[in-house]
Amino acid sequence: MTGFAFRLLHWLLLTLYLVLPLAALAWAFYRQRKGRAGAVPAVTLVCLVGLGISVTLNLIYATGTRGRPTLPQVALGAYFATAMLLLLRLFDYGLRAALQKLLRLKDAPPGRWRGARVLMAALGRVAVLFAVALPYVMATVMVYRPKVLPLDDPRSQLGFDFQRVEFTASDGVKLVGWWIPAQAPARGRGPRGEARGGSGGAPAADDWGTETALVCHGLAASKSNQLLLARRLVPGGVNVLAFDFRAHGESGGQLASFGAHEKRDVLAAAEWVRSRHPQQSRRIYGVGASMGAAALISAAADPSPAGQSIDAIAAYATYDDLWDLTGGMASVYFAPPMNWLLQRIGLPVASASVGADLLDYAPARDIPRVWPRPILLIHGQRDEVIPFARGRTLLEAASQPKYHLWYPEGSHNDIVADEPAARIVLEFFRQARAVPVI
């Protein structure tokens, strides 16, 4: 399927999600007036289950990101979950009708053969629901993001002054970020006591605060709980724009696309710092984790002025190809045939849900176009979310200048919090220069 087909399916699904709960309530009250007393309670039960799903997801995300759930997000999640459950019921109704017609159950006379047909219909229904409905639910839950508000900010978390800012992606999604100026060093000294412009590698006085790093968080994270990626940059003389991707934190949207659409968010962030802080963004860097790193690579490969303005990238624990990653993770965590179904049905469903061809999204195809700008890849060899092999393949696909930092004992989240890695990233940005193009 093409990207256009997935966008068309996306709008079809959105229409169904918007219409189904209202249509179900109207149908239930109509049936109630006709004397069918169980219609309204049945729809009410589905709504209550949807509310329970929404509350559970919001609490999970609030705990995982150290955020605060909000009533509008709970209500929106309940509506979405109710629509999903009603769509599944509608699919099940159509499936039962099709099996009854295919096996001619209404025409079958009583007896042994009718019993065999009824059994075949039941087994067929279970098989189809397992093959289609279960991957659909899992894929939908993966792309839908209930957003929670941060409980802290750069000042309370790291002692950094900041300004809350808003900007808009090219497709109209509102994004929210924190502009964090570089901390002024002590008189005559750089951060951690190095002499400014001296052999310690700190920037010269004229360079202090003239470079900006975009901090790009991972899936199901936020600008708040991965702000630690900036902990060495700000006192190291680098301004920071940390922002929430779409469907995360304070930004707009509810659907995450694993980097495919988030590329637009990175480009919007780069354009914002170029237009609003040109003197403080003479060089622009990007540091990202997981999904954020994938989006950062795709954005830097973009031929637009915003994409080409990204001068260097530090990417933590990201992947090379979404199709391969999905297949590999499904094989690790699920037995056949579920692993096969998740890749070949779940990923297309996710593509239709977000309106992007996720089957074809591969940062490994984008990373050669980052040349001649340098890239640093950081990955833990015990990464339980994105296997180390994915990061190694991404490194092989990159062009020089490229660097890597492998952690033999590092897991997915450990390396983001690793202090030596943060220092290496700062030093990488200080030294990062594009190779001369002959």
Side-chain angles (χ1 to χ4, degrees):
M1 296 180 68
T2 64
F4 174 78
F6 283 123
R7 288 193 294 272
L8 191 63
L9 287 172
H10 166 71
W11 288 110
L12 175 61
L13 278 174
L14 282 184
T15 302
L16 285 173
Y17 290 148
L18 288 172
V19 169
L20 273 177
L22 298 176
L25 284 173
W27 173 84
F29 281 113
Y30 172 79
R31 299 268 289 182
Q32 185 88 2
R33 292 184 61 185
K34 293 295 184 179
R36 302 295 182 88
V40 171
V43 174
T44 302
L45 178 61
V46 174
C47 293
L48 290 174
V49 173
L51 177 60
I53 292 173
S54 177
V55 169
T56 301
L57 287 177
N58 274 271
L59 290 176
I60 289 173
Y61 280 103
T63 302
T65 63
R66 299 192 303 275
R68 174 174 60 85
T70 63
L71 187 58
Q73 280 294 305
V74 172
L76 185 61
Y79 194 94
F80 177 81
T82 299
M84 184 182 69
L85 294 172
L86 289 171
L87 185 59
L88 286 172
R89 290 193 66 172
L90 191 63
F91 175 79
D92 185 37
Y93 176 82
L95 176 62
R96 282 183 292 161
L99 288 171
Q100 285 182 359
K101 186 172 183 179
L102 180 66
L103 298 173
R104 299 179 181 177
L105 292 181
K106 291 184 178 179
D107 302 330
R112 180 188 306 171
W113 290 111
R114 177 178 174 80
R117 292 184 184 184
V118 170
L119 179 61
M120 288 176 61
L123 293 176
R125 179 188 173 199
V126 170
V128 173
L129 287 175
F130 176 83
V132 176
L134 189 56
Y136 161 73
V137 170
M138 296 183 70
T140 304
V141 169
M142 280 298 297
V143 299
Y144 181 84
R145 295 288 146 192
K147 296 178 294 186
V148 296
L149 298 180
L151 291 176
D152 56 14
D153 56 43
R155 187 175 293 110
S156 62
Q157 188 178 149
L158 296 172
F160 298 158
D161 291 331
F162 73 100
Q163 176 189 0
R164 185 182 183 275
V165 300
E166 295 184 5
F167 49 97
T168 305
S170 60
D171 56 352
V173 177
K174 186 194 78 171
L175 304 169
V176 176
W178 290 326
W179 169 254
I180 310 171
Q183 283 190 348
R187 182 177 302 176
R189 308 294 292 178
R192 303 186 304 279
E194 305 108 329
R196 293 191 308 189
S199 60
D206 292 342
D207 294 333
W208 191 271
T210 64
E211 302 166 326
T212 293
L214 310 176
V215 173
C216 305
H217 65 76
L219 185 69
S222 71
K223 66 182 183 302
S224 175
N225 77 327
Q226 289 194 344
L227 184 62
L228 74 168
L229 289 171
R231 64 192 182 279
R232 283 291 162 190
L233 301 176
V234 174
V238 180
N239 310 297
V240 163
L241 176 62
F243 64 95
D244 287 320
F245 279 111
R246 61 186 64 207
H248 292 78
E250 297 181 271
S251 291
Q254 298 291 154
L255 301 173
S257 62
F258 309 101
H261 286 324
E262 287 77 8
K263 161 189 171 180
R264 301 171 183 258
D265 304 345
V266 179
L267 292 173
E271 186 58 38
W272 185 88
V273 298
R274 291 174 72 229
S275 62
R276 297 299 182 90
H277 297 279
Q279 297 306 311
Q280 294 165 286
S281 303
R282 295 176 186 172
R283 292 177 61 80
I284 298 175
Y285 309 127
V287 55
S290 194
M291 177 197 75
L296 184 57
I297 290 169
S298 297
D302 192 83
S304 66
Q308 295 303 301
S309 71
I310 300 173
D311 294 293
I313 292 174
Y316 285 80
T318 195
Y319 63 91
D320 57 332
D321 186 290
L322 189 55
W323 172 266
D324 291 341
L325 175 66
T326 303
M329 292 181 65
S331 297
V332 170
Y333 293 105
F334 299 94
M338 195 62 201
N339 56 345
W340 188 91
L341 293 171
L342 282 175
Q343 184 184 38
R344 289 164 176 80
I345 294 181
L347 196 56
V349 167
S351 298
S353 297
V354 302
D357 187 0
L358 301 182
L359 288 73
D360 195 49
Y361 181 61
R365 284 202 297 272
D366 292 331
I367 202 169
R369 296 198 300 275
V370 174
W371 177 88
R373 294 157 290 167
I375 184 166
L376 169 65
L377 296 178
I378 307 169
H379 216 117
Q381 296 186 21
R382 294 185 180 274
D383 194 316
E384 72 284 7
V385 177
I386 299 178
F388 171 64
R390 305 264 65 90
R392 189 168 51 197
T393 302
L394 190 62
L395 178 68
E396 293 170 356
S399 300
Q400 296 287 357
K402 58 182 178 180
Y403 309 91
H404 67 274
L405 180 60
W406 302 150
Y407 279 84
E409 301 298 323
S411 66
H412 191 68
N413 292 318
D414 285 348
I415 59 172
V416 173
D418 185 76
E419 185 62 26
R423 293 178 181 270
I424 289 171
V425 168
L426 173 60
E427 191 61 31
F428 167 71
F429 286 154
R430 286 174 175 170
Q431 305 296 330
R433 294 295 182 271
V435 297
V437 179
I438 299 175

PDB file of all heavy atoms in Angstrom, residues 90-116:
ATOM      1  N   LEU A  90     -18.716  -4.178  15.922  1.00  0.00           N
ATOM      2  CA  LEU A  90     -19.266  -4.098  14.567  1.00  0.00           C
ATOM      3  C   LEU A  90     -18.577  -5.101  13.651  1.00  0.00           C
ATOM      4  O   LEU A  90     -19.239  -5.779  12.836  1.00  0.00           O
ATOM      5  CB  LEU A  90     -19.087  -2.673  14.040  1.00  0.00           C
ATOM      6  CG  LEU A  90     -19.819  -2.320  12.745  1.00  0.00           C
ATOM      7  CD1 LEU A  90     -21.328  -2.429  12.935  1.00  0.00           C
ATOM      8  CD2 LEU A  90     -19.444  -0.907  12.301  1.00  0.00           C
ATOM      9  N   PHE A  91     -17.263  -5.216  13.787  1.00  0.00           N
ATOM     10  CA  PHE A  91     -16.526  -6.197  12.991  1.00  0.00           C
ATOM     11  C   PHE A  91     -16.968  -7.620  13.343  1.00  0.00           C
ATOM     12  O   PHE A  91     -17.164  -8.465  12.454  1.00  0.00           O
ATOM     13  CB  PHE A  91     -15.025  -6.034  13.241  1.00  0.00           C
ATOM     14  CG  PHE A  91     -14.170  -7.057  12.566  1.00  0.00           C
ATOM     15  CD1 PHE A  91     -13.876  -6.952  11.214  1.00  0.00           C
ATOM     16  CD2 PHE A  91     -13.656  -8.143  13.267  1.00  0.00           C
ATOM     17  CE1 PHE A  91     -13.086  -7.904  10.581  1.00  0.00           C
ATOM     18  CE2 PHE A  91     -12.865  -9.095  12.649  1.00  0.00           C
ATOM     19  CZ  PHE A  91     -12.582  -8.976  11.302  1.00  0.00           C
ATOM     20  N   ASP A  92     -17.137  -7.880  14.623  1.00  0.00           N
ATOM     21  CA  ASP A  92     -17.578  -9.207  15.070  1.00  0.00           C
ATOM     22  C   ASP A  92     -18.974  -9.527  14.549  1.00  0.00           C
ATOM     23  O   ASP A  92     -19.255 -10.657  14.133  1.00  0.00           O
ATOM     24  CB  ASP A  92     -17.545  -9.275  16.594  1.00  0.00           C
ATOM     25  CG  ASP A  92     -17.866 -10.665  17.117  1.00  0.00           C
ATOM     26  OD1 ASP A  92     -17.450 -11.657  16.475  1.00  0.00           O
ATOM     27  OD2 ASP A  92     -18.538 -10.766  18.157  1.00  0.00           O
ATOM     28  N   TYR A  93     -19.853  -8.533  14.545  1.00  0.00           N
ATOM     29  CA  TYR A  93     -21.210  -8.746  14.029  1.00  0.00           C
ATOM     30  C   TYR A  93     -21.160  -9.100  12.546  1.00  0.00           C
ATOM     31  O   TYR A  93     -21.825 -10.039  12.087  1.00  0.00           O
ATOM     32  CB  TYR A  93     -22.045  -7.481  14.244  1.00  0.00           C
ATOM     33  CG  TYR A  93     -23.429  -7.557  13.671  1.00  0.00           C
ATOM     34  CD1 TYR A  93     -24.461  -8.188  14.373  1.00  0.00           C
ATOM     35  CD2 TYR A  93     -23.712  -7.007  12.416  1.00  0.00           C
ATOM     36  CE1 TYR A  93     -25.743  -8.260  13.839  1.00  0.00           C
ATOM     37  CE2 TYR A  93     -24.987  -7.074  11.878  1.00  0.00           C
ATOM     38  CZ  TYR A  93     -25.994  -7.708  12.587  1.00  0.00           C
ATOM     39  OH  TYR A  93     -27.266  -7.792  12.052  1.00  0.00           O
ATOM     40  N   GLY A  94     -20.367  -8.354  11.785  1.00  0.00           N
ATOM     41  CA  GLY A  94     -20.249  -8.653  10.359  1.00  0.00           C
ATOM     42  C   GLY A  94     -19.607 -10.004  10.111  1.00  0.00           C
ATOM     43  O   GLY A  94     -19.988 -10.728   9.175  1.00  0.00           O
ATOM     44  N   LEU A  95     -18.627 -10.375  10.947  1.00  0.00           N
ATOM     45  CA  LEU A  95     -17.964 -11.667  10.812  1.00  0.00           C
ATOM     46  C   LEU A  95     -18.937 -12.814  11.050  1.00  0.00           C
ATOM     47  O   LEU A  95     -18.971 -13.801  10.290  1.00  0.00           O
ATOM     48  CB  LEU A  95     -16.797 -11.745  11.791  1.00  0.00           C
ATOM     49  CG  LEU A  95     -16.036 -13.063  11.870  1.00  0.00           C
ATOM     50  CD1 LEU A  95     -15.385 -13.399  10.536  1.00  0.00           C
ATOM     51  CD2 LEU A  95     -14.981 -13.015  12.980  1.00  0.00           C
ATOM     52  N   ARG A  96     -19.746 -12.698  12.112  1.00  0.00           N
ATOM     53  CA  ARG A  96     -20.726 -13.761  12.398  1.00  0.00           C
ATOM     54  C   ARG A  96     -21.734 -13.885  11.275  1.00  0.00           C
ATOM     55  O   ARG A  96     -22.104 -14.997  10.881  1.00  0.00           O
ATOM     56  CB  ARG A  96     -21.424 -13.463  13.720  1.00  0.00           C
ATOM     57  CG  ARG A  96     -20.592 -13.805  14.951  1.00  0.00           C
ATOM     58  CD  ARG A  96     -21.376 -13.564  16.215  1.00  0.00           C
ATOM     59  NE  ARG A  96     -21.609 -12.140  16.421  1.00  0.00           N
ATOM     60  CZ  ARG A  96     -22.545 -11.641  17.210  1.00  0.00           C
ATOM     61  NH1 ARG A  96     -23.386 -12.459  17.830  1.00  0.00           N
ATOM     62  NH2 ARG A  96     -22.671 -10.351  17.364  1.00  0.00           N
ATOM     63  N   ALA A  97     -22.188 -12.745  10.742  1.00  0.00           N
ATOM     64  CA  ALA A  97     -23.147 -12.780   9.643  1.00  0.00           C
ATOM     65  C   ALA A  97     -22.551 -13.442   8.410  1.00  0.00           C
ATOM     66  O   ALA A  97     -23.206 -14.245   7.725  1.00  0.00           O
ATOM     67  CB  ALA A  97     -23.626 -11.374   9.321  1.00  0.00           C
ATOM     68  N   ALA A  98     -21.279 -13.133   8.115  1.00  0.00           N
ATOM     69  CA  ALA A  98     -20.611 -13.714   6.949  1.00  0.00           C
ATOM     70  C   ALA A  98     -20.433 -15.223   7.115  1.00  0.00           C
ATOM     71  O   ALA A  98     -20.652 -15.998   6.163  1.00  0.00           O
ATOM     72  CB  ALA A  98     -19.274 -13.034   6.732  1.00  0.00           C
ATOM     73  N   LEU A  99     -20.049 -15.666   8.306  1.00  0.00           N
ATOM     74  CA  LEU A  99     -19.864 -17.095   8.535  1.00  0.00           C
ATOM     75  C   LEU A  99     -21.187 -17.849   8.480  1.00  0.00           C
ATOM     76  O   LEU A  99     -21.253 -18.969   7.946  1.00  0.00           O
ATOM     77  CB  LEU A  99     -19.190 -17.319   9.898  1.00  0.00           C
ATOM     78  CG  LEU A  99     -17.703 -16.932   9.975  1.00  0.00           C
ATOM     79  CD1 LEU A  99     -17.213 -16.998  11.414  1.00  0.00           C
ATOM     80  CD2 LEU A  99     -16.867 -17.851   9.086  1.00  0.00           C
ATOM     81  N   GLN A 100     -22.228 -17.236   9.013  1.00  0.00           N
ATOM     82  CA  GLN A 100     -23.545 -17.893   8.940  1.00  0.00           C
ATOM     83  C   GLN A 100     -23.997 -18.061   7.493  1.00  0.00           C
ATOM     84  O   GLN A 100     -24.546 -19.097   7.122  1.00  0.00           O
ATOM     85  CB  GLN A 100     -24.572 -17.073   9.715  1.00  0.00           C
ATOM     86  CG  GLN A 100     -24.454 -17.204  11.223  1.00  0.00           C
ATOM     87  CD  GLN A 100     -25.516 -16.418  11.950  1.00  0.00           C
ATOM     88  OE1 GLN A 100     -26.351 -15.750  11.333  1.00  0.00           O
ATOM     89  NE2 GLN A 100     -25.494 -16.487  13.271  1.00  0.00           N
ATOM     90  N   LYS A 101     -23.750 -17.029   6.681  1.00  0.00           N
ATOM     91  CA  LYS A 101     -24.144 -17.129   5.273  1.00  0.00           C
ATOM     92  C   LYS A 101     -23.258 -18.108   4.520  1.00  0.00           C
ATOM     93  O   LYS A 101     -23.735 -18.899   3.692  1.00  0.00           O
ATOM     94  CB  LYS A 101     -24.055 -15.745   4.628  1.00  0.00           C
ATOM     95  CG  LYS A 101     -24.584 -15.711   3.204  1.00  0.00           C
ATOM     96  CD  LYS A 101     -24.651 -14.292   2.671  1.00  0.00           C
ATOM     97  CE  LYS A 101     -25.250 -14.270   1.267  1.00  0.00           C
ATOM     98  NZ  LYS A 101     -25.339 -12.891   0.724  1.00  0.00           N
ATOM     99  N   LEU A 102     -21.941 -18.072   4.804  1.00  0.00           N
ATOM    100  CA  LEU A 102     -21.011 -18.963   4.120  1.00  0.00           C
ATOM    101  C   LEU A 102     -21.314 -20.425   4.422  1.00  0.00           C
ATOM    102  O   LEU A 102     -21.265 -21.289   3.522  1.00  0.00           O
ATOM    103  CB  LEU A 102     -19.583 -18.622   4.528  1.00  0.00           C
ATOM    104  CG  LEU A 102     -18.463 -19.456   3.899  1.00  0.00           C
ATOM    105  CD1 LEU A 102     -18.397 -19.203   2.401  1.00  0.00           C
ATOM    106  CD2 LEU A 102     -17.116 -19.126   4.547  1.00  0.00           C
ATOM    107  N   LEU A 103     -21.627 -20.732   5.665  1.00  0.00           N
ATOM    108  CA  LEU A 103     -21.886 -22.113   6.079  1.00  0.00           C
ATOM    109  C   LEU A 103     -23.369 -22.475   6.048  1.00  0.00           C
ATOM    110  O   LEU A 103     -23.733 -23.597   6.420  1.00  0.00           O
ATOM    111  CB  LEU A 103     -21.331 -22.340   7.497  1.00  0.00           C
ATOM    112  CG  LEU A 103     -19.814 -22.167   7.632  1.00  0.00           C
ATOM    113  CD1 LEU A 103     -19.403 -22.232   9.094  1.00  0.00           C
ATOM    114  CD2 LEU A 103     -19.081 -23.241   6.824  1.00  0.00           C
ATOM    115  N   ARG A 104     -24.203 -21.541   5.612  1.00  0.00           N
ATOM    116  CA  ARG A 104     -25.655 -21.764   5.456  1.00  0.00           C
ATOM    117  C   ARG A 104     -26.293 -22.334   6.724  1.00  0.00           C
ATOM    118  O   ARG A 104     -27.023 -23.321   6.699  1.00  0.00           O
ATOM    119  CB  ARG A 104     -25.910 -22.714   4.282  1.00  0.00           C
ATOM    120  CG  ARG A 104     -25.406 -22.190   2.950  1.00  0.00           C
ATOM    121  CD  ARG A 104     -25.653 -23.162   1.822  1.00  0.00           C
ATOM    122  NE  ARG A 104     -25.159 -22.662   0.561  1.00  0.00           N
ATOM    123  CZ  ARG A 104     -25.198 -23.339  -0.593  1.00  0.00           C
ATOM    124  NH1 ARG A 104     -25.708 -24.574  -0.595  1.00  0.00           N
ATOM    125  NH2 ARG A 104     -24.737 -22.815  -1.691  1.00  0.00           N
ATOM    126  N   LEU A 105     -26.013 -21.676   7.817  1.00  0.00           N
ATOM    127  CA  LEU A 105     -26.514 -22.181   9.094  1.00  0.00           C
ATOM    128  C   LEU A 105     -28.027 -22.082   9.196  1.00  0.00           C
ATOM    129  O   LEU A 105     -28.681 -22.926   9.824  1.00  0.00           O
ATOM    130  CB  LEU A 105     -25.859 -21.411  10.246  1.00  0.00           C
ATOM    131  CG  LEU A 105     -24.363 -21.657  10.449  1.00  0.00           C
ATOM    132  CD1 LEU A 105     -23.847 -20.857  11.624  1.00  0.00           C
ATOM    133  CD2 LEU A 105     -24.085 -23.141  10.673  1.00  0.00           C
ATOM    134  N   LYS A 106     -28.604 -21.034   8.599  1.00  0.00           N
ATOM    135  CA  LYS A 106     -30.057 -20.884   8.691  1.00  0.00           C
ATOM    136  C   LYS A 106     -30.794 -21.960   7.911  1.00  0.00           C
ATOM    137  O   LYS A 106     -31.924 -22.335   8.249  1.00  0.00           O
ATOM    138  CB  LYS A 106     -30.466 -19.505   8.184  1.00  0.00           C
ATOM    139  CG  LYS A 106     -30.023 -18.362   9.097  1.00  0.00           C
ATOM    140  CD  LYS A 106     -30.555 -17.038   8.590  1.00  0.00           C
ATOM    141  CE  LYS A 106     -30.144 -15.902   9.527  1.00  0.00           C
ATOM    142  NZ  LYS A 106     -30.638 -14.591   9.050  1.00  0.00           N
ATOM    143  N   ASP A 107     -30.153 -22.440   6.840  1.00  0.00           N
ATOM    144  CA  ASP A 107     -30.806 -23.451   6.003  1.00  0.00           C
ATOM    145  C   ASP A 107     -30.479 -24.873   6.419  1.00  0.00           C
ATOM    146  O   ASP A 107     -31.103 -25.830   5.926  1.00  0.00           O
ATOM    147  CB  ASP A 107     -30.385 -23.263   4.532  1.00  0.00           C
ATOM    148  CG  ASP A 107     -30.739 -21.877   4.023  1.00  0.00           C
ATOM    149  OD1 ASP A 107     -31.741 -21.316   4.515  1.00  0.00           O
ATOM    150  OD2 ASP A 107     -30.024 -21.361   3.141  1.00  0.00           O
ATOM    151  N   ALA A 108     -29.514 -25.022   7.305  1.00  0.00           N
ATOM    152  CA  ALA A 108     -29.094 -26.373   7.678  1.00  0.00           C
ATOM    153  C   ALA A 108     -30.146 -27.042   8.571  1.00  0.00           C
ATOM    154  O   ALA A 108     -30.577 -26.437   9.567  1.00  0.00           O
ATOM    155  CB  ALA A 108     -27.761 -26.317   8.401  1.00  0.00           C
ATOM    156  N   PRO A 109     -30.552 -28.244   8.229  1.00  0.00           N
ATOM    157  CA  PRO A 109     -31.532 -28.952   9.070  1.00  0.00           C
ATOM    158  C   PRO A 109     -30.886 -29.409  10.374  1.00  0.00           C
ATOM    159  O   PRO A 109     -29.656 -29.566  10.454  1.00  0.00           O
ATOM    160  CB  PRO A 109     -31.928 -30.151   8.211  1.00  0.00           C
ATOM    161  CG  PRO A 109     -30.739 -30.387   7.331  1.00  0.00           C
ATOM    162  CD  PRO A 109     -30.150 -29.043   7.060  1.00  0.00           C
ATOM    163  N   PRO A 110     -31.690 -29.601  11.408  1.00  0.00           N
ATOM    164  CA  PRO A 110     -31.133 -30.096  12.679  1.00  0.00           C
ATOM    165  C   PRO A 110     -30.456 -31.449  12.483  1.00  0.00           C
ATOM    166  O   PRO A 110     -30.855 -32.241  11.648  1.00  0.00           O
ATOM    167  CB  PRO A 110     -32.362 -30.198  13.582  1.00  0.00           C
ATOM    168  CG  PRO A 110     -33.388 -29.306  12.946  1.00  0.00           C
ATOM    169  CD  PRO A 110     -33.146 -29.377  11.474  1.00  0.00           C
ATOM    170  N   GLY A 111     -29.428 -31.657  13.269  1.00  0.00           N
ATOM    171  CA  GLY A 111     -28.740 -32.938  13.178  1.00  0.00           C
ATOM    172  C   GLY A 111     -27.240 -32.762  13.302  1.00  0.00           C
ATOM    173  O   GLY A 111     -26.716 -31.700  13.646  1.00  0.00           O
ATOM    174  N   ARG A 112     -26.540 -33.863  12.949  1.00  0.00           N
ATOM    175  CA  ARG A 112     -25.099 -33.886  13.122  1.00  0.00           C
ATOM    176  C   ARG A 112     -24.403 -32.840  12.272  1.00  0.00           C
ATOM    177  O   ARG A 112     -23.489 -32.166  12.725  1.00  0.00           O
ATOM    178  CB  ARG A 112     -24.582 -35.276  12.763  1.00  0.00           C
ATOM    179  CG  ARG A 112     -23.068 -35.417  12.907  1.00  0.00           C
ATOM    180  CD  ARG A 112     -22.593 -36.749  12.352  1.00  0.00           C
ATOM    181  NE  ARG A 112     -23.316 -37.860  12.950  1.00  0.00           N
ATOM    182  CZ  ARG A 112     -23.219 -39.121  12.529  1.00  0.00           C
ATOM    183  NH1 ARG A 112     -22.444 -39.386  11.489  1.00  0.00           N
ATOM    184  NH2 ARG A 112     -23.895 -40.070  13.119  1.00  0.00           N
ATOM    185  N   TRP A 113     -24.829 -32.676  11.016  1.00  0.00           N
ATOM    186  CA  TRP A 113     -24.131 -31.754  10.130  1.00  0.00           C
ATOM    187  C   TRP A 113     -24.340 -30.301  10.548  1.00  0.00           C
ATOM    188  O   TRP A 113     -23.457 -29.467  10.379  1.00  0.00           O
ATOM    189  CB  TRP A 113     -24.595 -31.956   8.684  1.00  0.00           C
ATOM    190  CG  TRP A 113     -24.114 -33.259   8.133  1.00  0.00           C
ATOM    191  CD1 TRP A 113     -24.869 -34.351   7.817  1.00  0.00           C
ATOM    192  CD2 TRP A 113     -22.751 -33.609   7.859  1.00  0.00           C
ATOM    193  NE1 TRP A 113     -24.073 -35.375   7.371  1.00  0.00           N
ATOM    194  CE2 TRP A 113     -22.752 -34.940   7.380  1.00  0.00           C
ATOM    195  CE3 TRP A 113     -21.531 -32.940   7.968  1.00  0.00           C
ATOM    196  CZ2 TRP A 113     -21.594 -35.611   7.021  1.00  0.00           C
ATOM    197  CZ3 TRP A 113     -20.375 -33.593   7.597  1.00  0.00           C
ATOM    198  CH2 TRP A 113     -20.409 -34.921   7.141  1.00  0.00           C
ATOM    199  N   ARG A 114     -25.514 -30.018  11.089  1.00  0.00           N
ATOM    200  CA  ARG A 114     -25.715 -28.654  11.576  1.00  0.00           C
ATOM    201  C   ARG A 114     -24.774 -28.364  12.747  1.00  0.00           C
ATOM    202  O   ARG A 114     -24.184 -27.276  12.836  1.00  0.00           O
ATOM    203  CB  ARG A 114     -27.170 -28.449  12.002  1.00  0.00           C
ATOM    204  CG  ARG A 114     -27.402 -27.041  12.578  1.00  0.00           C
ATOM    205  CD  ARG A 114     -28.857 -26.809  12.956  1.00  0.00           C
ATOM    206  NE  ARG A 114     -29.013 -25.531  13.623  1.00  0.00           N
ATOM    207  CZ  ARG A 114     -29.076 -24.357  13.011  1.00  0.00           C
ATOM    208  NH1 ARG A 114     -28.979 -24.304  11.691  1.00  0.00           N
ATOM    209  NH2 ARG A 114     -29.208 -23.237  13.694  1.00  0.00           N
ATOM    210  N   GLY A 115     -24.630 -29.335  13.644  1.00  0.00           N
ATOM    211  CA  GLY A 115     -23.716 -29.157  14.770  1.00  0.00           C
ATOM    212  C   GLY A 115     -22.287 -28.936  14.304  1.00  0.00           C
ATOM    213  O   GLY A 115     -21.551 -28.123  14.879  1.00  0.00           O
ATOM    214  N   ALA A 116     -21.882 -29.675  13.253  1.00  0.00           N
ATOM    215  CA  ALA A 116     -20.534 -29.506  12.715  1.00  0.00           C
ATOM    216  C   ALA A 116     -20.353 -28.108  12.123  1.00  0.00           C
ATOM    217  O   ALA A 116     -19.302 -27.480  12.290  1.00  0.00           O
ATOM    218  CB  ALA A 116     -20.263 -30.566  11.654  1.00  0.00           C
TER     219      ALA A 116
END
